[in-house]
Amino acid sequence: MHWFPFLPLTLRGRKPPADEDCDVSALRLYQHRVLLWGGCLLSLAIVAGMVALVLLQASGFQTRRLEALQRTHAAVEAHLVAADAAHQRMLNMAEYAWRHRPDSDAATRLAERQRYLAGGQRMVVNAGPESAPQMVLGVGTDHWPLARLDRYLTLAHSLSVIRRLSASDTEAETAASGFFFDPSHQFLVLGDGLTEQRLLAATNAGHRAQLFQHLQQLSEPAVRSGHAPHALPALESPMQIALVRHPVSGAASIAVRLLAHDRKGAIGTFVTLEPTHRLARVMAVADRGASFVVTADGGVVAGTADAGDMPLTSVARALRSSQQRGDSVMAVRQGLRFYQALPIAGTDWLLVNTYCLMDIARDGWRLYLAAALSGGGLMLGLWVLLAWLHWRIFGPALARAARVYQGEQLSRSLIQLSPVGLCLIDRREANAVLQNELMRHYAAAAERSGIPLYLQLVQMATECESRAAASPEPVEFELPIPANNKTPARQLLVGAVGATYQGRDVLLCALRDLSARVELEQQQAQAREAAEAASRAKGTFLATMSHEIRTPLHGILGHLELLGRSSLDEDQRARLRRINQSADSLLQIINDVLDFSRAESGQLELQAEVFEPIVLLERVAVLFSPLAEAKGLVLDLSVDGAVPGQVKGPQARIEQVLRNLVSNAVKFTLSGRIDLRVRVNGEGEALSLQVEVADSGIGLSPTQLERLFQPYVQADASIITRFGGSGLGLSLCRELCQRMGGEIHARSTPAVGSVFAFSVPVERVAGVSPSPLAGRNVILVSAAAGWRDELNRRLQAWGAHVQVIADVAQLAHDDCDVEAALVVFERGPTPGLQRWCEGRCLVRVSADGPLRAQRRGGAWRVSCYSGESLLQALQAPTRTGQGTLAVLQGLH
C-alpha cells in the first residue's frame, strides 16, 4: 500500500519485477520516498526560513524599541537629575541666606514692615535689576513677633535674588513657577507667574485664607487626592515630587516640594511647579515612537503620543507585578499590543514603551514581500529539480545497481571472525601462507598506506630475534600503520615466533589493535595543546577585537573633527570637546590593549631608524601643549648639550613611551609645571638615551610605586573614577622599554610630584652638524631660567654668538649690538619691546606661538616647541619685501 495514493505512479514507485531481489526493491522504494520526503522537508525548511526571517525582523524591531526605551529612560532620568540639582541648589542658597541674612539697619526693616502691613499683609519684593519680582502675602502675620516677621521679609528679598540665580539664561523664559510657605502656612512668597489675583480667580477662592488652604494642600508631604491624583512617595533627599494640576492654568504639572531647615528647625517649604510638556520634549528627542511616563495607578505624566484608548491603568498594574519578580525591563502584552517599561529612579513612576503588530508589519513589509517571492521561487525550483533527478539520475542508477547486486550475491563467502589477526608468513618469500579475514584487513590497510605489511613483519621480527637470546623465544613489538584516505591510523601490537610449516621456515604472527590506547594518549596530548592554544587565542582575540574596535573609532574621530569645524554654540562645543576627549581616551586605551597583546604574544615590532632626539621631544611637547595650557600648566623642555644631533634606534616606540608618560603627567597634574628632559650616557658609538618626565602632580606613595607598572593596576582605587584610564599604559611602557633593551623607573613624593625616567640604548650617527647661523650675533632675552638655557643651547649649536640677558630693560644699559637679532622668550605680553626691533630681526618665542614662523607687527612669532621655526625666523630678512615673502612661502 502506497503512503501517498494521490501522487502520480512515477513518484510512488512501480511494482518490482518478480525476480528482483528484495534489497534492491527496498532500495527502489526508499529512493522514491527519499525524493518525496526530501522535497517536503526542504519545502518545510524554506517555509521555516521565511518564518525565521519574519521572527528575526520582529526581534530586531523589538530590540530597537528596547534600545529606544533605554535611551528615553536615560534622558528622562537625566532631566529629573538636572531638575533635582537645580532645586537642591536653590534650597541650599535659601538655607544659607536664612542663616547668613544681610545686616540691615532698623530703619530699613521698619520701612519694609510698615509697607507690608500697610498693604494689607501684601507687597511685591524686588531686590534689584538682577532679581525676580516676588509677591509676599500673609494671613495673621500682623500678630507675629516683629523679629520673626522681619526675618521672613528679609528672606523674601533674598528669594527674589535666589530664584534668578538658580536658573540659567536658557531657562529664564521657561522657568518653573512656584511659591514658598512658612511652617505655620501664614506667610506666602509667590514666584514668577503667580499673583494673588490670578490664583483667586483660578481657584475660585473667596478670600486669601481659602487661597492659603488650597496652596497648603500642594505643600503638604502627602498631597490630597483632590489636587494631586497621582502623588508619589517622598524621596530620600528633602525633596518630594508629585503630579498635580497647576493652580492657575490647570495644566498637568510636576510639583516638587522641598523642606528647608536650619539648626533650630524648619524654615519653610518650597513648592516648584514644572509643566509636563518639558519632560515630553525630552522624551520626543530620545524616541520617535510611543512612550509614556505613567504613575503607579496609570496616570500619564508625559508622553510622545496620544494615549487614546490604551488601558494604561491595567498595564501599570501588570508591569508592577513584573517588577516585583525582579525583572530589569518589565514587559507585558495585552491583546495585539506590547508594553515595555523601566522604573524611574527616585519615584514610583514607570517609563512605558508600546508598539503593536501593525508597527512591526509596517517596519519590515519590504523584507516580508521579498521573502515570500524568493521562497516561492525556491520551492518551485526544488520540485522541478527533484523530478529531473528521478527521471535522469536515480532511475538508470537503480537499474545498474540491481545487476551488480545479483552478481555480488553469487561471490559471497563465509567471513572468518577472530578478535586477533592471525597469519603464517613465509620468511623467504615474505608472503602469507595462511591468514584470517582480520589479517587481510590489516594487510589491505597497510598496503593503502604504502607499507608492505608481511615484509615489514619479517624484518622487525628478525631484528628483535637478533637482539634476544639464541633460543627461539616469542618476540613482541609495535607496528604503526599510518592513516590513509579510507582508514584511520592504527597501532598494532605484534607477537611473533619462528616455526616450520610444510618444510618451510615460517613466522607465526598475532596482531592486536592498540589504536584505542594510542588515541587516548593522543587525546591527552591534544588537551594540553588545546589549553596552550586557548591561552594564545585569548591574546589573539584581544588584539583582534582591539583592532576591530579601533577601525570604526577612527571614523568617529574624523567626523567629530569635521563637526568641530561647523558653526556650534558654546554649549555644543563644550559637549563636543568632552566627546572628543572621551573618544581620544578610548582610542588610547584600545591602542594600549593592542600593543600590550602584541607584546605578550611576541609580535611587537622594533624598527631601528635614524632620528633627532630634540625633534622627537619637541613633537611630543607640541602634541600636549594645548592640554597643558588649558589646565594652566607650564610645559618646559631641557636638552643636555651632550645629546647628539642624530641617533639610531626604535624611534616610534621611544616616542610611544614618552607620549604615555607626558599624557599621565598632564592628566594627574592639577597645577604647576611639567619638565621634559633628555640626556645621554656612555661614550663612543653605543649610547644610552635618558628621558625624564617630571611633574608637580598628586604624587605616589612607596606602596603605590611598588605595583605601579603591573598590568590593569591603578595607583589608587579612586584613579579610575577621578581621572579614567585602563591601567595598561605604564605596564606597556615597561614592556616596551624591556623589549628595547632599556629600563624604566619612577620616584615620587605624595602631594609634591613625580619623576618618570626611562633609558634606551641607541647608536650615534656620525656626521658634521651644520652651523646655519655661523658668525651671527643674537641677543637672547628670557626671564625663565630653563628656557634661557635651552634657547641658548639651540642658538650656540647653530653657530651663533649669543648674549644672554634676563630682562628687556637691560637692553638700554648693556652694551648690545644694535644689528644683532633679538630673541625674546615670553610667558605673557612684554611691554616696551617694539622700540627695540627697529633695524633688527625680532623673534618672539612663546608656548602658544605658531608652529610655523609668522610675521606680525614687525616681529616674528614662533613656538618654543619648534626649533626649526626659530631657525627659519632668524634666517629671514629683517625688512618686508620680496625676501620676506620668499621666506614665508618656504615656511608653508
Side-chain angles (χ1 to χ4, degrees), residues 661-674:
L661 296 181
V662 176
S663 175
N664 286 345
V666 174
K667 182 191 299 183
F668 297 111
T669 303
L670 303 180
S671 63
R673 62 188 298 114
I674 298 173

Side-chain angles (χ1 to χ4, degrees), residues 124-128 131-135 160-161 163-164 189-194:
V124 176
V125 175
N126 194 344
S131 62
Q134 310 278 325
M135 176 170 282
S160 67
V161 179
R163 287 189 180 275
R164 177 67 66 181
V189 180
L190 299 176
D192 290 342
L194 295 180

Side-chain angles (χ1 to χ4, degrees), residues 76-97:
V76 169
E77 287 197 343
H79 177 77
L80 294 179
V81 167
D84 185 13
H87 296 148
Q88 191 64 39
R89 183 169 64 248
M90 181 186 71
L91 180 64
N92 293 337
M93 295 171 66
E95 290 178 347
Y96 180 86

Side-chain angles (χ1 to χ4, degrees), residues 257-272:
R257 173 184 175 273
L258 303 100
L259 186 61
H261 293 84
D262 65 354
R263 298 184 182 88
K264 298 180 180 180
I267 302 172
T269 304
F270 289 93
V271 178
T272 302

Side-chain angles (χ1 to χ4, degrees), residues 42-308:
L42 289 176
S43 299
L44 290 176
I46 293 173
V47 174
M50 296 170 59
V51 173
L53 188 63
V54 172
L55 294 178
L56 184 62
Q57 169 65 21
S59 177
F61 177 81
Q62 184 180 13
T63 301
R64 292 191 293 273
R65 294 307 304 152
L66 180 59
E67 292 174 352
L69 172 66
Q70 294 172 343
R71 186 169 58 251
T72 308
H73 180 263
V76 169
E77 287 197 343
H79 177 77
L80 294 179
V81 167
D84 185 13
H87 296 148
Q88 191 64 39
R89 183 169 64 248
M90 181 186 71
L91 180 64
N92 293 337
M93 295 171 66
E95 290 178 347
Y96 180 86
W98 176 268
R99 292 192 300 268
H100 305 82
R101 60 185 184 274
D103 295 332
S104 58
D105 52 49
T108 302
R109 292 196 299 272
L110 177 60
E112 287 293 321
R113 187 192 323 131
Q114 290 177 352
R115 185 164 69 92
Y116 169 72
L117 295 176
Q121 303 180 56
R122 177 178 65 183
M123 71 175 181
V124 176
V125 175
N126 194 344
E130 298 298 329
S131 62
Q134 310 278 325
M135 176 170 282
V136 180
L137 301 175
V139 175
T141 56
D142 51 350
H143 301 296
W144 280 11
L146 298 182
R148 179 183 178 186
L149 181 59
D150 289 344
R151 189 165 190 180
Y152 272 97
L153 291 175
T154 303
L155 178 62
H157 275 272
S158 300
L159 289 179
S160 67
V161 179
I162 290 171
R163 287 189 180 275
R164 177 67 66 181
L165 295 178
S166 61
S168 63
D169 295 338
T170 58
E171 299 173 347
E173 297 180 358
T174 61
S177 60
F179 56 89
F180 168 79
F181 250 134
D182 77 301
S184 64
H185 299 96
Q186 294 179 292
F187 186 84
L188 176 66
V189 180
L190 299 176
D192 290 342
L194 295 180
T195 62
E196 182 181 16
Q197 292 78 11
R198 295 177 65 184
L199 288 172
L200 288 174
T203 58
N204 294 323
H207 48 81
R208 189 181 300 171
Q210 290 182 356
L211 175 61
F212 274 39
Q213 292 177 359
H214 182 83
L215 295 181
Q216 181 181 350
Q217 295 173 355
L218 295 179
S219 66
E220 290 178 348
V223 185
R224 296 180 177 88
S225 61
H227 298 278
H230 309 297
L232 301 177
L235 301 172
E236 296 178 357
S237 64
M239 185 182 73
Q240 296 174 345
I241 186 170
L243 177 63
V244 301
R245 293 292 180 183
H246 195 281
V248 175
S249 64
S253 302
I254 300 175
V256 179
R257 173 184 175 273
L258 303 100
L259 186 61
H261 293 84
D262 65 354
R263 298 184 182 88
K264 298 180 180 180
I267 302 172
T269 304
F270 289 93
V271 178
T272 302
L273 302 172
E274 180 182 357
T276 58
H277 63 79
R278 298 183 191 172
L279 184 59
R281 284 201 302 268
V282 173
M283 295 168 60
V285 171
D287 182 17
R288 296 184 181 276
S291 299
F292 304 95
V293 175
V294 300
T295 61
D297 53 359
V300 178
V301 178
T304 60
D306 186 10

